mmCIF file of all heavy atoms in Angstrom:
data_model
loop_
_atom_site.group_PDB
_atom_site.id
_atom_site.type_symbol
_atom_site.label_atom_id
_atom_site.label_comp_id
_atom_site.label_asym_id
_atom_site.label_seq_id
_atom_site.Cartn_x
_atom_site.Cartn_y
_atom_site.Cartn_z
ATOM 1 N N GLU A 26 54.020 165.444 120.561
ATOM 2 C CA GLU A 26 53.582 166.816 120.853
ATOM 3 C C GLU A 26 52.106 166.855 121.239
ATOM 4 O O GLU A 26 51.728 167.528 122.207
ATOM 5 C CB GLU A 26 53.840 167.714 119.640
ATOM 6 C CG GLU A 26 55.312 167.959 119.383
ATOM 7 C CD GLU A 26 55.597 168.627 118.047
ATOM 8 O OE1 GLU A 26 54.644 169.100 117.381
ATOM 9 O OE2 GLU A 26 56.785 168.667 117.659
ATOM 10 N N ILE A 27 51.273 166.147 120.495
ATOM 11 C CA ILE A 27 49.837 166.116 120.803
ATOM 12 C C ILE A 27 49.601 165.483 122.166
ATOM 13 O O ILE A 27 48.818 165.985 122.970
ATOM 14 C CB ILE A 27 49.055 165.377 119.695
ATOM 15 C CG1 ILE A 27 49.093 166.187 118.391
ATOM 16 C CG2 ILE A 27 47.611 165.112 120.129
ATOM 17 C CD1 ILE A 27 48.624 165.430 117.167
ATOM 18 N N TRP A 28 50.288 164.373 122.446
ATOM 19 C CA TRP A 28 50.109 163.701 123.735
ATOM 20 C C TRP A 28 50.472 164.638 124.889
ATOM 21 O O TRP A 28 49.741 164.732 125.863
ATOM 22 C CB TRP A 28 50.946 162.419 123.795
ATOM 23 C CG TRP A 28 50.858 161.772 125.136
ATOM 24 C CD1 TRP A 28 49.802 161.074 125.643
ATOM 25 C CD2 TRP A 28 51.849 161.815 126.155
ATOM 26 N NE1 TRP A 28 50.083 160.665 126.927
ATOM 27 C CE2 TRP A 28 51.333 161.114 127.267
ATOM 28 C CE3 TRP A 28 53.116 162.373 126.246
ATOM 29 C CZ2 TRP A 28 52.053 160.955 128.438
ATOM 30 C CZ3 TRP A 28 53.833 162.215 127.414
ATOM 31 C CH2 TRP A 28 53.294 161.510 128.497
ATOM 32 N N LYS A 29 51.590 165.328 124.764
ATOM 33 C CA LYS A 29 52.028 166.231 125.834
ATOM 34 C C LYS A 29 51.058 167.392 126.044
ATOM 35 O O LYS A 29 50.814 167.802 127.174
ATOM 36 C CB LYS A 29 53.425 166.774 125.532
ATOM 37 C CG LYS A 29 54.506 165.746 125.731
ATOM 38 C CD LYS A 29 55.865 166.316 125.373
ATOM 39 C CE LYS A 29 56.942 165.257 125.557
ATOM 40 N NZ LYS A 29 58.268 165.764 125.146
ATOM 41 N N GLU A 30 50.512 167.927 124.952
ATOM 42 C CA GLU A 30 49.641 169.093 125.040
ATOM 43 C C GLU A 30 48.196 168.753 125.408
ATOM 44 O O GLU A 30 47.537 169.489 126.123
ATOM 45 C CB GLU A 30 49.643 169.851 123.711
ATOM 46 C CG GLU A 30 50.951 170.507 123.381
ATOM 47 C CD GLU A 30 50.990 171.082 121.974
ATOM 48 O OE1 GLU A 30 49.936 171.124 121.310
ATOM 49 O OE2 GLU A 30 52.086 171.484 121.538
ATOM 50 N N GLN A 31 47.686 167.623 124.893
ATOM 51 C CA GLN A 31 46.253 167.362 125.007
ATOM 52 C C GLN A 31 45.892 166.174 125.892
ATOM 53 O O GLN A 31 44.738 166.032 126.273
ATOM 54 C CB GLN A 31 45.658 167.172 123.607
ATOM 55 C CG GLN A 31 45.839 168.395 122.753
ATOM 56 C CD GLN A 31 45.198 168.247 121.390
ATOM 57 O OE1 GLN A 31 44.226 167.525 121.213
ATOM 58 N NE2 GLN A 31 45.736 168.938 120.407
ATOM 59 N N ARG A 32 46.813 165.298 126.183
ATOM 60 C CA ARG A 32 46.561 164.103 127.002
ATOM 61 C C ARG A 32 45.264 163.399 126.599
ATOM 62 O O ARG A 32 44.265 163.424 127.329
ATOM 63 C CB ARG A 32 46.545 164.445 128.483
ATOM 64 C CG ARG A 32 47.850 165.004 129.012
ATOM 65 C CD ARG A 32 48.961 163.979 128.928
ATOM 66 N NE ARG A 32 50.241 164.600 129.249
ATOM 67 C CZ ARG A 32 51.145 164.089 130.055
ATOM 68 N NH1 ARG A 32 50.946 162.922 130.593
ATOM 69 N NH2 ARG A 32 52.259 164.727 130.280
ATOM 70 N N PRO A 33 45.255 162.773 125.429
ATOM 71 C CA PRO A 33 44.040 162.094 124.960
ATOM 72 C C PRO A 33 43.628 160.952 125.891
ATOM 73 O O PRO A 33 44.437 160.460 126.688
ATOM 74 C CB PRO A 33 44.452 161.563 123.581
ATOM 75 C CG PRO A 33 45.931 161.437 123.655
ATOM 76 C CD PRO A 33 46.395 162.551 124.544
ATOM 77 N N ASP A 34 42.392 160.529 125.764
ATOM 78 C CA ASP A 34 41.862 159.455 126.597
ATOM 79 C C ASP A 34 42.305 158.079 126.114
ATOM 80 O O ASP A 34 42.298 157.116 126.886
ATOM 81 C CB ASP A 34 40.328 159.517 126.602
ATOM 82 C CG ASP A 34 39.843 160.816 127.213
ATOM 83 O OD1 ASP A 34 40.091 161.024 128.418
ATOM 84 O OD2 ASP A 34 39.260 161.630 126.483
ATOM 85 N N LEU A 35 42.684 157.976 124.835
ATOM 86 C CA LEU A 35 43.122 156.704 124.260
ATOM 87 C C LEU A 35 44.001 157.002 123.049
ATOM 88 O O LEU A 35 43.784 158.003 122.360
ATOM 89 C CB LEU A 35 41.922 155.866 123.823
ATOM 90 C CG LEU A 35 42.242 154.488 123.229
ATOM 91 C CD1 LEU A 35 41.303 153.432 123.806
ATOM 92 C CD2 LEU A 35 42.126 154.506 121.719
ATOM 93 N N ILE A 36 44.986 156.120 122.810
ATOM 94 C CA ILE A 36 45.872 156.289 121.661
ATOM 95 C C ILE A 36 45.812 155.036 120.794
ATOM 96 O O ILE A 36 45.978 153.916 121.294
ATOM 97 C CB ILE A 36 47.327 156.532 122.115
ATOM 98 C CG1 ILE A 36 47.408 157.770 123.003
ATOM 99 C CG2 ILE A 36 48.255 156.650 120.903
ATOM 100 C CD1 ILE A 36 48.738 157.961 123.702
ATOM 101 N N LEU A 37 45.553 155.239 119.511
ATOM 102 C CA LEU A 37 45.675 154.182 118.500
ATOM 103 C C LEU A 37 47.032 154.413 117.863
ATOM 104 O O LEU A 37 47.255 155.460 117.238
ATOM 105 C CB LEU A 37 44.565 154.285 117.462
ATOM 106 C CG LEU A 37 43.152 154.045 117.986
ATOM 107 C CD1 LEU A 37 42.128 154.341 116.899
ATOM 108 C CD2 LEU A 37 43.004 152.619 118.474
ATOM 109 N N LEU A 38 47.951 153.474 118.023
ATOM 110 C CA LEU A 38 49.351 153.716 117.697
ATOM 111 C C LEU A 38 49.909 152.678 116.730
ATOM 112 O O LEU A 38 49.992 151.493 117.060
ATOM 113 C CB LEU A 38 50.160 153.704 119.006
ATOM 114 C CG LEU A 38 51.656 153.934 118.943
ATOM 115 C CD1 LEU A 38 51.975 155.284 118.306
ATOM 116 C CD2 LEU A 38 52.233 153.854 120.358
ATOM 117 N N ASP A 39 50.273 153.150 115.544
ATOM 118 C CA ASP A 39 50.942 152.289 114.573
ATOM 119 C C ASP A 39 52.333 151.979 115.114
ATOM 120 O O ASP A 39 52.980 152.836 115.722
ATOM 121 C CB ASP A 39 51.036 153.021 113.229
ATOM 122 C CG ASP A 39 51.534 152.160 112.085
ATOM 123 O OD1 ASP A 39 51.729 150.943 112.278
ATOM 124 O OD2 ASP A 39 51.728 152.705 110.995
ATOM 125 N N VAL A 40 52.804 150.767 114.898
ATOM 126 C CA VAL A 40 54.128 150.383 115.377
ATOM 127 C C VAL A 40 55.217 150.905 114.449
ATOM 128 O O VAL A 40 56.236 151.415 114.897
ATOM 129 C CB VAL A 40 54.225 148.851 115.540
ATOM 130 C CG1 VAL A 40 55.651 148.422 115.850
ATOM 131 C CG2 VAL A 40 53.282 148.371 116.636
ATOM 132 N N ASN A 41 55.014 150.794 113.147
ATOM 133 C CA ASN A 41 56.035 151.175 112.169
ATOM 134 C C ASN A 41 55.722 152.531 111.569
ATOM 135 O O ASN A 41 54.851 152.660 110.711
ATOM 136 C CB ASN A 41 56.106 150.117 111.063
ATOM 137 C CG ASN A 41 56.420 148.745 111.617
ATOM 138 O OD1 ASN A 41 57.378 148.575 112.356
ATOM 139 N ND2 ASN A 41 55.608 147.776 111.273
ATOM 140 N N LEU A 42 56.436 153.535 112.036
ATOM 141 C CA LEU A 42 56.232 154.901 111.564
ATOM 142 C C LEU A 42 57.503 155.407 110.885
ATOM 143 O O LEU A 42 58.588 154.875 111.132
ATOM 144 C CB LEU A 42 55.837 155.799 112.740
ATOM 145 C CG LEU A 42 54.444 155.476 113.301
ATOM 146 C CD1 LEU A 42 54.307 155.936 114.732
ATOM 147 C CD2 LEU A 42 53.376 156.094 112.419
ATOM 148 N N PRO A 43 57.394 156.427 110.038
ATOM 149 C CA PRO A 43 58.562 156.871 109.280
ATOM 150 C C PRO A 43 59.716 157.370 110.144
ATOM 151 O O PRO A 43 60.872 157.286 109.740
ATOM 152 C CB PRO A 43 58.024 157.987 108.383
ATOM 153 C CG PRO A 43 56.665 158.304 108.857
ATOM 154 C CD PRO A 43 56.187 157.174 109.696
ATOM 155 N N ASP A 44 59.430 157.868 111.337
ATOM 156 C CA ASP A 44 60.487 158.400 112.191
ATOM 157 C C ASP A 44 60.772 157.529 113.408
ATOM 158 O O ASP A 44 61.358 157.986 114.387
ATOM 159 C CB ASP A 44 60.183 159.845 112.600
ATOM 160 C CG ASP A 44 58.846 160.020 113.304
ATOM 161 O OD1 ASP A 44 57.977 159.124 113.198
ATOM 162 O OD2 ASP A 44 58.657 161.062 113.962
ATOM 163 N N GLY A 45 60.351 156.262 113.377
ATOM 164 C CA GLY A 45 60.697 155.358 114.471
ATOM 165 C C GLY A 45 59.598 154.372 114.806
ATOM 166 O O GLY A 45 58.644 154.200 114.047
ATOM 167 N N SER A 46 59.754 153.769 115.967
ATOM 168 C CA SER A 46 58.837 152.718 116.408
ATOM 169 C C SER A 46 57.810 153.238 117.411
ATOM 170 O O SER A 46 58.172 153.922 118.380
ATOM 171 C CB SER A 46 59.638 151.584 117.057
ATOM 172 O OG SER A 46 58.767 150.672 117.697
ATOM 173 N N GLY A 47 56.561 152.869 117.182
ATOM 174 C CA GLY A 47 55.503 153.206 118.133
ATOM 175 C C GLY A 47 55.742 152.576 119.497
ATOM 176 O O GLY A 47 55.304 153.104 120.519
ATOM 177 N N ILE A 48 56.449 151.446 119.527
ATOM 178 C CA ILE A 48 56.776 150.787 120.805
ATOM 179 C C ILE A 48 57.611 151.731 121.671
ATOM 180 O O ILE A 48 57.414 151.811 122.883
ATOM 181 C CB ILE A 48 57.535 149.466 120.565
ATOM 182 C CG1 ILE A 48 56.697 148.487 119.744
ATOM 183 C CG2 ILE A 48 57.997 148.855 121.881
ATOM 184 C CD1 ILE A 48 55.590 147.781 120.467
ATOM 185 N N ASP A 49 58.532 152.475 121.054
ATOM 186 C CA ASP A 49 59.360 153.424 121.803
ATOM 187 C C ASP A 49 58.516 154.552 122.386
ATOM 188 O O ASP A 49 58.708 154.944 123.547
ATOM 189 C CB ASP A 49 60.460 154.007 120.915
ATOM 190 C CG ASP A 49 61.462 152.956 120.464
ATOM 191 O OD1 ASP A 49 61.610 151.921 121.159
ATOM 192 O OD2 ASP A 49 62.100 153.163 119.415
ATOM 193 N N LEU A 50 57.580 155.072 121.602
ATOM 194 C CA LEU A 50 56.691 156.119 122.119
ATOM 195 C C LEU A 50 55.828 155.571 123.250
ATOM 196 O O LEU A 50 55.634 156.235 124.266
ATOM 197 C CB LEU A 50 55.807 156.691 121.012
ATOM 198 C CG LEU A 50 54.791 157.740 121.471
ATOM 199 C CD1 LEU A 50 55.492 158.952 122.088
ATOM 200 C CD2 LEU A 50 53.890 158.166 120.321
ATOM 201 N N MET A 51 55.343 154.350 123.093
ATOM 202 C CA MET A 51 54.529 153.748 124.139
ATOM 203 C C MET A 51 55.335 153.635 125.446
ATOM 204 O O MET A 51 54.814 153.943 126.526
ATOM 205 C CB MET A 51 54.020 152.370 123.702
ATOM 206 C CG MET A 51 53.134 151.707 124.737
ATOM 207 S SD MET A 51 52.387 150.184 124.135
ATOM 208 C CE MET A 51 53.833 149.164 123.855
ATOM 209 N N ALA A 52 56.592 153.225 125.352
ATOM 210 C CA ALA A 52 57.433 153.118 126.546
ATOM 211 C C ALA A 52 57.612 154.485 127.210
ATOM 212 O O ALA A 52 57.577 154.599 128.441
ATOM 213 C CB ALA A 52 58.793 152.522 126.171
ATOM 214 N N GLU A 53 57.769 155.514 126.396
ATOM 215 C CA GLU A 53 57.904 156.878 126.918
ATOM 216 C C GLU A 53 56.633 157.299 127.656
ATOM 217 O O GLU A 53 56.685 157.834 128.763
ATOM 218 C CB GLU A 53 58.185 157.818 125.749
ATOM 219 C CG GLU A 53 58.445 159.236 126.118
ATOM 220 C CD GLU A 53 58.723 160.084 124.883
ATOM 221 O OE1 GLU A 53 59.364 159.599 123.937
ATOM 222 O OE2 GLU A 53 58.269 161.250 124.879
ATOM 223 N N ILE A 54 55.487 157.044 127.054
ATOM 224 C CA ILE A 54 54.209 157.396 127.668
ATOM 225 C C ILE A 54 54.001 156.614 128.955
ATOM 226 O O ILE A 54 53.540 157.159 129.964
ATOM 227 C CB ILE A 54 53.048 157.159 126.676
ATOM 228 C CG1 ILE A 54 53.124 158.186 125.535
ATOM 229 C CG2 ILE A 54 51.688 157.219 127.378
ATOM 230 C CD1 ILE A 54 52.197 157.895 124.374
ATOM 231 N N ARG A 55 54.343 155.346 128.952
ATOM 232 C CA ARG A 55 54.139 154.492 130.128
ATOM 233 C C ARG A 55 54.950 154.957 131.330
ATOM 234 O O ARG A 55 54.613 154.646 132.465
ATOM 235 C CB ARG A 55 54.477 153.027 129.806
ATOM 236 C CG ARG A 55 53.427 152.355 128.945
ATOM 237 C CD ARG A 55 52.129 152.186 129.759
ATOM 238 N NE ARG A 55 51.090 151.602 128.960
ATOM 239 C CZ ARG A 55 50.005 152.232 128.550
ATOM 240 N NH1 ARG A 55 49.809 153.496 128.857
ATOM 241 N NH2 ARG A 55 49.083 151.612 127.856
ATOM 242 N N ARG A 56 55.998 155.715 131.116
ATOM 243 C CA ARG A 56 56.763 156.261 132.251
ATOM 244 C C ARG A 56 55.950 157.300 133.006
ATOM 245 O O ARG A 56 56.233 157.587 134.170
ATOM 246 C CB ARG A 56 58.069 156.870 131.769
ATOM 247 C CG ARG A 56 59.090 155.830 131.346
ATOM 248 C CD ARG A 56 60.480 156.417 131.226
ATOM 249 N NE ARG A 56 60.565 157.527 130.298
ATOM 250 C CZ ARG A 56 61.023 157.444 129.048
ATOM 251 N NH1 ARG A 56 61.424 156.294 128.571
ATOM 252 N NH2 ARG A 56 61.083 158.523 128.292
ATOM 253 N N PHE A 57 54.940 157.895 132.342
ATOM 254 C CA PHE A 57 54.181 158.976 132.949
ATOM 255 C C PHE A 57 52.741 158.623 133.294
ATOM 256 O O PHE A 57 52.207 159.136 134.271
ATOM 257 C CB PHE A 57 54.182 160.205 132.017
ATOM 258 C CG PHE A 57 55.557 160.739 131.771
ATOM 259 C CD1 PHE A 57 56.231 160.436 130.603
ATOM 260 C CD2 PHE A 57 56.192 161.512 132.726
ATOM 261 C CE1 PHE A 57 57.518 160.918 130.383
ATOM 262 C CE2 PHE A 57 57.473 161.996 132.522
ATOM 263 C CZ PHE A 57 58.132 161.692 131.342
ATOM 264 N N ASP A 58 52.082 157.813 132.474
ATOM 265 C CA ASP A 58 50.691 157.490 132.788
ATOM 266 C C ASP A 58 50.227 156.196 132.121
ATOM 267 O O ASP A 58 50.979 155.547 131.412
ATOM 268 C CB ASP A 58 49.750 158.660 132.456
ATOM 269 C CG ASP A 58 49.526 158.895 130.980
ATOM 270 O OD1 ASP A 58 49.443 157.944 130.197
ATOM 271 O OD2 ASP A 58 49.407 160.066 130.609
ATOM 272 N N ARG A 59 48.978 155.858 132.374
ATOM 273 C CA ARG A 59 48.406 154.588 131.917
ATOM 274 C C ARG A 59 47.342 154.806 130.844
ATOM 275 O O ARG A 59 46.404 154.014 130.729
ATOM 276 C CB ARG A 59 47.797 153.827 133.106
ATOM 277 C CG ARG A 59 48.743 153.500 134.234
ATOM 278 C CD ARG A 59 49.948 152.693 133.854
ATOM 279 N NE ARG A 59 49.621 151.430 133.205
ATOM 280 C CZ ARG A 59 50.488 150.679 132.557
ATOM 281 N NH1 ARG A 59 51.733 151.051 132.457
ATOM 282 N NH2 ARG A 59 50.114 149.560 131.992
ATOM 283 N N THR A 60 47.467 155.844 130.042
ATOM 284 C CA THR A 60 46.538 156.066 128.934
ATOM 285 C C THR A 60 46.394 154.770 128.132
ATOM 286 O O THR A 60 47.400 154.172 127.757
ATOM 287 C CB THR A 60 47.075 157.179 127.999
ATOM 288 O OG1 THR A 60 47.231 158.377 128.754
ATOM 289 C CG2 THR A 60 46.141 157.412 126.828
ATOM 290 N N PRO A 61 45.174 154.310 127.880
ATOM 291 C CA PRO A 61 45.025 153.090 127.068
ATOM 292 C C PRO A 61 45.643 153.273 125.687
ATOM 293 O O PRO A 61 45.440 154.300 125.034
ATOM 294 C CB PRO A 61 43.514 152.901 126.964
ATOM 295 C CG PRO A 61 42.935 153.684 128.093
ATOM 296 C CD PRO A 61 43.881 154.831 128.320
#
């Protein structure tokens, strides 16, 4: 939700989160842009 609304300049992303894998979110983001 934050990424969609605010488009941060960089994301620090934990891989193991309570509701899934950060790798999956990264793949979703990579479909749209190259945010570090």
Side-chain angles (χ1 to χ4, degrees):
E26 291 169 11
I27 293 167
W28 176 74
K29 286 178 181 177
E30 292 172 9
Q31 299 183 28
R32 298 295 171 134
D34 297 295
L35 181 136
I36 302 170
L37 295 173
L38 180 59
D39 188 5
V40 172
N41 302 308
L42 292 157
D44 57 342
S46 170
I48 300 284
D49 295 336
L50 177 61
M51 182 173 63
E53 184 180 323
I54 291 169
R55 286 292 178 249
R56 287 195 303 260
F57 298 100
D58 72 37
R59 301 303 304 166
T60 301

